[in-house]
Amino acid sequence: CINLLDKFYKTINKETVDLFLAQASPEDDAPDAGFANGEAYTGAQSESGGILGMLDVMKSDFVRTMQETRQAEAQAVQDHLEFMTQSGMSLKQKEEAEAQKKAQKTDRETKLSEEGDKLKDQTDMLESAIKELLDLKPACVDTGMSYADRVANREDEIAALNKAMCILGRYEEYGPEGAADGC
């Protein structure tokens, strides 16, 4: 476009109008058109520099905008690549952490189940031992004797055990003849 206008303004200045076929009748009465009879329109030569200058500015603005756009697009591609790399790494780390936590959870649930089974077994054993103790309590504790009677029985039993120890000790020392003497 700029080259076309530049060429137009440079070549139009040399142009002329061929009046070979023109008839000379009413043109004498016509108002002045701003150029001589037979002179070609050469455009606004004085303003051609302004028009071409404005087109040059538009062209340079367009070129600058294209360059800035290319740079911005390249930077956006770089930023996107960096973001995707960081996101990928972050995602992999989180997936690995999730897998570890799931494994840890499964392990803990298994241990909890095993420990729960052990606790149930121990509780069952404890309950059976308590039941057995409760069954034996009347035979051992509730004998129908008073405290004084139990103390007397215990002292009699201790005395009988001491006498038996004495007899066994003498039997060992003196044989069967001297076993019962002195006890």
Side-chain angles (χ1 to χ4, degrees):
C1 179
I2 294 173
N3 290 337
L4 183 67
L5 281 175
D6 189 38
K7 185 177 178 183
F8 170 76
Y9 281 118
K10 287 180 182 175
T11 60
I12 197 75
N13 202 11
K14 301 172 190 167
E15 293 293 323
T16 60
V17 176
D18 186 13
L19 296 176
F20 174 71
L21 297 175
Q23 299 172 357
S25 63
E27 89 183 24
D28 296 334
D29 296 336
D32 185 24
F35 46 90
N37 199 6
E39 179 182 3
Y41 176 70
T42 58
Q45 291 290 324
S46 61
E47 280 117 29
S48 69
I51 293 172
L52 291 174
M54 186 170 57
L55 287 174
D56 282 340
V57 168
M58 288 170 49
K59 179 182 176 183
S60 67
D61 286 349
F62 183 74
V63 168
R64 181 180 41 85
T65 303
M66 290 293 291
Q67 289 174 346
E68 288 174 356
T69 303
R70 283 189 195 107
Q71 289 174 350
E73 287 176 350
Q75 183 63 41
V77 167
Q78 184 66 27
D79 291 346
H80 177 69
L81 181 62
E82 184 178 324
F83 172 75
M84 292 304 288
T85 301
Q86 289 176 351
S87 295
M89 289 180 359
S90 176
L91 182 63
K92 288 294 183 195
Q93 290 172 347
K94 288 175 182 169
E95 286 173 350
E96 184 176 322
E98 179 186 19
Q100 288 177 353
K101 289 188 188 270
K102 281 184 178 179
Q104 191 177 35
K105 179 185 173 198
T106 303
D107 184 47
R108 296 284 164 88
E109 287 174 344
T110 303
K111 284 182 181 179
L112 179 63
S113 176
E114 290 172 358
E115 294 299 321
D117 292 343
K118 285 181 185 178
L119 177 64
K120 185 178 180 329
D121 292 344
Q122 293 293 324
T123 303
D124 290 345
M125 226 165 54
L126 179 63
E127 287 175 354
S128 67
I130 289 173
K131 184 179 180 211
E132 190 174 328
L133 283 174
L134 290 176
D135 290 343
L136 292 175
K137 183 178 180 182
C140 295
V141 176
D142 296 333
T143 57
M145 294 193 285
S146 68
Y147 177 73
D149 291 339
R150 285 193 310 254
V151 169
N153 282 344
R154 190 170 41 248
E155 287 176 4
D156 289 343
E157 189 176 344
I158 290 172
L161 288 173
N162 283 336
K163 185 175 181 182
M165 288 289 290
C166 178
I167 291 172
L168 288 174
R170 290 191 61 85
Y171 180 82
E172 191 178 325
E173 191 175 323
Y174 300 112
E177 289 85 30
D181 297 339
C183 288

